[in-house]
Amino acid sequence: MARVSQQHLDARRRQILDAAARCFARNGFHATSMQDVLREADLSAGAVYRYFSSKEELIGAIVTEVLDTVREAFEEAASQSPPDPPDVLVGQVMGRVLRGEFSLGTAAGVQAPRLLVQVWTETLRNESLAALLRTGYDTVRAAWVKVVEAYQAAGLMRDDVPAEHVARTMIATAQGFAAQQALFGEVPVEVLQNGLRGLMSMGGQKPG
C-alpha cells in the first residue's frame, strides 16, 4: 500500500477544519453535528474521525489557530523598533483575522467575525474551552504588552500608565470591532484605524 504523504495528511486536516468552521459560523456550535461536518467536508466518518474524535476537538483546534495568528502578528510587531503606531498595528492584525489568514476565512467561505463570537459564547458553558481560551488570551496579552512597552521605551506613549492596562484596552478594541462585524455587518478595517487615529489625536497631556 502506498504511503500517504504528510502533505496529503495536512491538506485533509485543513479540509476538515475549513468545513467545520463554515458550519459553526453558519449555524453555531450547538446546531452543528459531526454529521453536518462530514457532509460539508464531503468525507466519510472514518476520514474525519482519524483527525478529530469529537466536535469539541474541532472547536479547540479552530480556537487555537485564531489565537496563534493574533499572537504571532503582535510578536512580530513587538520585534520592530519601534512598532507601527496603534492605529496601523491593530488595523493590520484585525485585517489578517477578518480576512481569515488563520486559514479559516474568505477562501474557505467562513465569516470570521461570526465564528469568533460563536467561540466566545461557547466558552461561557464549556470549561475546557474556557481554559484553552484563557491560556491563549494570556499569550496574546503578553505579546501586546511587549508592543506597548516598546512604544513607551521609544517615547511614543506615556509611561505612567501600566503597559498591561493599555494592552487590555487594545485587545478590547479589537474584540469589539469583531463583535460589531458579526452583529451589524461588514465594515472596512479602515474605520477602526480612523477611529483609533482620532482618539490618538487628543494628545498625551497628563491631567493637572
Side-chain angles (χ1 to χ4, degrees):
M1 181 179 294
R3 183 177 181 180
V4 179
S5 69
Q6 186 61 48
Q7 183 178 9
H8 174 82
L9 294 173
D10 291 343
R12 180 56 54 85
R13 184 178 186 275
R14 176 82 276 136
Q15 180 182 352
I16 296 166
L17 280 174
D18 287 347
R22 289 194 296 270
C23 289
F24 293 149
R26 186 168 59 236
N27 302 319
F29 290 126
H30 296 293
T32 298
S33 67
M34 285 299 282
Q35 288 299 318
D36 294 328
V37 176
L38 300 181
R39 285 192 294 270
E40 186 76 23
D42 194 23
L43 294 172
S44 68
V48 172
Y49 282 108
R50 176 179 183 178
Y51 296 87
F52 302 99
S53 64
S54 66
K55 185 169 69 173
E56 285 66 30
E57 280 195 11
L58 278 167
I59 295 170
I62 290 170
V63 171
T64 298
E65 284 204 354
V66 175
L67 291 172
D68 284 348
T69 294
V70 177
R71 175 185 53 77
E72 289 169 6
F74 275 84
E75 285 181 348
E76 289 174 10
S79 67
Q80 301 175 19
S81 184
D84 288 328
D87 59 313
V88 175
L89 184 56
V90 176
Q92 287 174 344
V93 174
M94 285 308 299
R96 288 179 60 175
V97 172
L98 296 176
R99 287 193 302 270
E101 292 187 17
F102 46 91
S103 301
L104 302 171
T106 53
V110 173
Q111 293 178 298
R114 287 178 57 88
L115 184 60
L116 289 171
V117 171
Q118 293 287 350
V119 168
W120 297 334
T121 302
E122 182 67 9
T123 61
L124 298 177
R125 60 166 297 278
N126 185 325
E127 181 53 38
S128 61
L129 182 59
L132 176 64
L133 193 64
R134 281 195 297 269
T135 300
Y137 177 80
D138 287 343
T139 61
V140 169
R141 188 180 68 227
W144 290 44
V145 166
K146 291 179 183 177
V147 172
V148 175
E149 289 173 342
Y151 289 147
Q152 294 173 333
L156 299 175
M157 183 178 290
R158 48 190 288 180
D159 59 7
D160 61 327
V161 177
E164 182 176 349
H165 296 186
V166 180
R168 284 179 178 271
T169 301
M170 292 171 70
I171 293 172
T173 300
Q175 289 174 320
F177 188 72
Q180 285 188 14
Q181 294 264 3
L183 295 172
F184 307 123
E186 184 175 348
V187 177
V189 74
E190 287 78 15
V191 171
L192 173 64
Q193 292 179 303
N194 287 337
L196 287 171
R197 198 171 298 120
L199 291 172
M200 291 161 55
S201 70
M202 294 181 67
Q205 291 86 0
K206 298 180 182 179

